[in-house]
Amino acid sequence: MDVSQLDKYRWQIARDTSSGMHVPGIVYSDEILMRKVLQDKSLQQVANAATLPGIVEASLAMPDIHYGYGLPIGGVVATRVSDGVVTPGGVGFDINCGVRLLTTQLEAPAIKKQISNLLQSLYNNIPCGVGSRGRLKLSRKELRRVLQKGSRWAIQNGYGLAEELDRTEEKGAFEETDPDLVSPKAMDRGSQQLGTLGSGNHFAEIQVVDTIYEKNIATAFGLHEGQITVMIHSGSRGLGHQVCTDFLSVMGTATKKYGIKIPDRQLACAPLSSVEGKQYLLAMRCAANYAWANRQIMAHWARETFMKILGLSPRDLGMISLYDVAHNIVKIETFTIKGKKQKLAVHRKGATRAYPAHHNAVGEYFKAHGQPVIIPGDMGTHSFVLVGTEKALEQTFGSTCHGAGRVLSRKAAIKKAKGRIIQQELEQKGIMVLAKGRQTLAEEMPEAYKDISRVVDVVHNCGLSKKVARLTPLGVIKG
DNA sequence: ATGTTC
């Protein structure tokens, strides 16, 4: 592979036509982050994606890039709807994994003594862990409604505020869905998991805003220094995982049927114009809607928890979603490519949409400044709020990074944590942790991840998004 | 990420 540095924050993988690349690969990074990336197999995955039929401009990767299934985490791939393909490997197993940030009217010093109570109560009210079952048990009929209506189902059933819909990407629901394409197995897995956090890197966190970078934008977003916020990182649970699994098998057959040559079976795909391609999109959107409803419901329970423990009215607490972003998803979006408007299937796998001010898809609340970009840190480190930019629209199909990105595999992290008590290490840093399993804490320890500040600085410095605020964790619950 | 090996 021919990898060369283009400028301070970009590396290019030259287009190699002999291996079938239609476009080059471009990785946004810096010299220090890139050292490790050059040693792993994720760059080969960037190159592999460049062979997908209909890919435009370049196979992209964000600074949080690491090895994944088919496409790396941190990958962004846009294909022409007219003659391109869609690949489940470009979305990932956790369809619409994403993040929601809630702002409050609370100041950190005032509730410092209550953090422990709040965290324990959050842990009681939000089911955590692999295979955890929720407080809701949905009939098949009701679950179908969730898959069609997403966050709107949650709001209409009393889990949240109507204003929160405009503060969610896609208003919390894709309209074009087909629940009949979600298998009975996926429906079974989903019926008892709505309103559950999950495991792995998923978390709910009580935070304090510790730095403001852009005063005007922060104020417009309702953020100020010393303020308490709550962040929820979760996805579509077993339902989304099953939808992905089901369609990987469909796509394996479709790849052969349509005579598509791919260098890695994990990039199994189908033309967007084919039955298989269209069906995947319709099923993927059901899972995405489930994830939005999931985060909406947990956000509501977080609000109820705070009201109860602090004895505050909704007005005095003032807890509301600032925004909710998807970072594992494929969406049909319109872009101007070489002066021509084109419909593209933008695969963001561990990448966040970052639309600028005055973009049509950005809701009224954020029109003046651009879309809030919510970047969760790994356990025990800072999280960030950024805002989308024109440059992202021009260079990365309106995309930026999604988090820190792993440097150690789960297995390597467990090995490194052997003999240590990660929970104690975090508590010494002033971060309370409540978790289901010790193994998850080992897998998710800070050393398993890249430096989030460095990752965010790359996207900030190269203009893919702009830093608005930094958040410090006070307490975290995990699966 | 995941009823963590259908």
Side-chain angles (χ1 to χ4, degrees):
Chain A
M1 233 185 338
D2 174 7
V3 184
S4 58
Q5 187 166 4
L6 276 184
D7 51 40
K8 195 169 178 193
Y9 297 110
R10 284 190 304 175
W11 276 256
Q12 176 166 272
I13 305 167
R15 179 183 169 201
D16 174 8
T17 47
S18 71
S19 60
M21 289 171 73
H22 300 297
V23 293
I26 293 180
V27 180
Y28 290 79
S29 190
D30 71 12
E31 276 169 12
I32 290 178
L33 290 167
M34 201 61 190
R35 277 181 210 155
K36 288 219 166 129
V37 176
L38 285 165
Q39 292 166 9
D40 74 15
K41 293 177 287 184
S42 57
L43 289 184
Q44 186 59 54
Q45 294 187 312
V46 176
N48 290 346
T51 69
L52 289 169
I55 187 170
V56 297
E57 302 283 21
S59 172
L60 300 170
M62 298 296 125
D64 43 350
I65 178 174
H66 61 103
Y67 185 76
Y69 182 94
L71 194 71
I73 318 297
V76 177
V77 165
T79 51
R80 285 185 296 270
V81 169
S82 55
D83 63 345
V85 295
V86 61
T87 172
V91 174
F93 280 87
D94 191 5
I95 295 166
N96 192 3
C97 183
V99 208
R100 177 177 296 232
L101 182 68
L102 298 142
T103 55
T104 70
Q105 297 298 322
L106 303 171
E107 305 302 318
I111 66 149
K112 203 117 206 178
K113 286 184 186 152
Q114 300 272 33
I115 295 291
S116 165
N117 276 343
L118 285 166
L119 201 68
Q120 185 62 53
S121 190
L122 274 183
Y123 192 64
N124 294 340
N125 288 328
I126 298 177
C128 304
V130 173
S132 56
R133 290 172 175 190
R135 293 155 59 183
L136 303 169
K137 308 254 182 292
L138 299 181
S139 66
R140 196 53 66 92
K141 201 172 153 191
E142 204 61 27
L143 180 54
R144 286 174 64 92
R145 291 201 186 106
V146 174
L147 302 185
Q148 289 167 311
K149 294 162 80 177
S151 288
R152 216 161 57 241
W153 181 91
I155 304 283
Q156 286 170 358
N157 284 271
Y159 304 102
L161 312 170
E163 307 96 277
E164 293 186 303
L165 291 179
D166 279 340
R167 295 158 169 264
T168 305
E169 196 170 321
E170 298 297 319
K171 295 186 189 290
F174 283 114
E175 296 304 324
E176 271 186 80
T177 62
D178 186 352
D180 286 338
L181 296 169
V182 176
S183 70
K185 207 169 170 181
M187 295 293 275
D188 279 345
R189 292 179 73 172
S191 64
Q192 295 190 81
Q193 292 190 322
L194 196 63
T196 65
L197 192 63
S199 182
N201 63 1
H202 291 168
F203 65 76
E205 196 166 88
I206 304 173
Q207 313 165 318
V208 54
V209 178
D210 81 347
T211 310
I212 296 289
Y213 304 97
E214 285 282 339
K215 185 95 192 297
N216 285 345
I217 301 178
T219 303
F221 285 0
L223 292 167
H224 63 266
E225 211 175 306
Q227 175 185 24
I228 294 291
T229 58
V230 172
M231 182 173 279
I232 295 170
H233 180 199
S234 184
S236 51
R237 310 286 290 104
L239 183 140
H241 195 276
Q242 191 63 46
V243 167
C244 180
T245 303
D246 292 340
F247 274 88
L248 281 172
S249 137
V250 172
M251 291 298 182
T253 310
T255 308
K256 283 188 209 119
K257 177 177 164 189
Y258 297 105
I260 301 166
K261 296 272 175 287
I262 42 169
D264 178 358
R265 282 165 60 183
Q266 294 185 352
L267 285 176
C269 56
L272 282 146
S273 58
S274 70
V275 175
E276 294 88 343
K278 286 178 178 161
Q279 290 191 338
Y280 170 68
L281 283 181
L282 292 167
M284 189 238 30
R285 291 184 190 131
C286 286
N289 287 353
Y290 183 93
W292 272 313
N294 191 33
R295 291 194 290 274
Q296 178 62 55
I297 290 165
M298 288 187 285
H300 183 67
W301 287 338
R303 183 162 38 227
E304 284 186 343
T305 299
F306 270 62
M307 280 166 54
K308 189 167 166 229
I309 297 296
L310 301 174
L312 290 175
S313 68
R315 176 183 295 233
D316 289 338
L317 175 60
M319 191 188 277
I320 186 166
S321 302
L322 164 58
Y323 205 61
D324 179 304
V325 297
H327 57 221
N328 281 6
I329 207 154
V330 55
K331 292 206 267 189
I332 310 295
E333 298 172 349
T334 305
F335 286 90
T336 307
I337 305 296
K338 299 189 169 61
K340 216 178 100 190
K341 273 202 170 176
Q342 284 196 22
K343 271 193 176 177
L344 303 175
V346 183
H347 301 69
R348 295 191 184 94
K349 184 190 192 178
T352 313
R353 197 184 72 176
Y355 278 177
H358 309 297
H359 190 287
N360 280 341
V362 176
E364 281 305 316
Y365 283 109
F366 307 112
K367 208 129 211 177
H369 297 289
Q371 172 217 312
V373 171
I374 317 289
I375 306 296
D378 47 286
M379 186 174 60
T381 62
H382 301 294
S383 295
F384 289 84
V385 178
L386 293 88
V387 66
T389 61
E390 281 293 337
K391 198 157 181 190
L393 212 53
E394 290 158 13
Q395 291 195 356
T396 56
F397 309 103
S399 312
T400 187
C401 66
H402 89 304
R406 281 192 166 274
V407 278
L408 297 180
S409 67
R410 291 176 193 280
K411 216 171 144 184
I414 290 168
K415 201 174 158 190
K416 189 152 191 182
K418 217 173 161 91
R420 290 166 51 182
I421 302 166
I422 302 300
Q423 181 160 3
Q424 247 172 38
E425 291 180 20
L426 289 165
E427 277 166 10
Q428 276 159 12
K429 287 204 281 181
I431 304 160
M432 279 195 61
V433 184
L434 292 175
K436 267 274 158 70
R438 287 241 313 264
Q439 180 163 315
T440 305
L441 290 183
E443 289 174 357
E444 297 300 319
M445 69 176 171
E447 288 150 272
Y449 284 86
K450 299 181 207 273
D451 176 354
I452 183 77
S453 300
R454 185 169 282 281
V455 168
V456 164
D457 279 344
V458 171
V459 296
H460 175 84
N461 289 333
C462 68
L464 295 183
S465 36
K466 194 157 65 171
K467 287 199 279 189
V468 174
R470 190 177 80 167
L471 317 164
T472 297
L474 298 174
V476 58
I477 67 171
K478 289 188 73 74

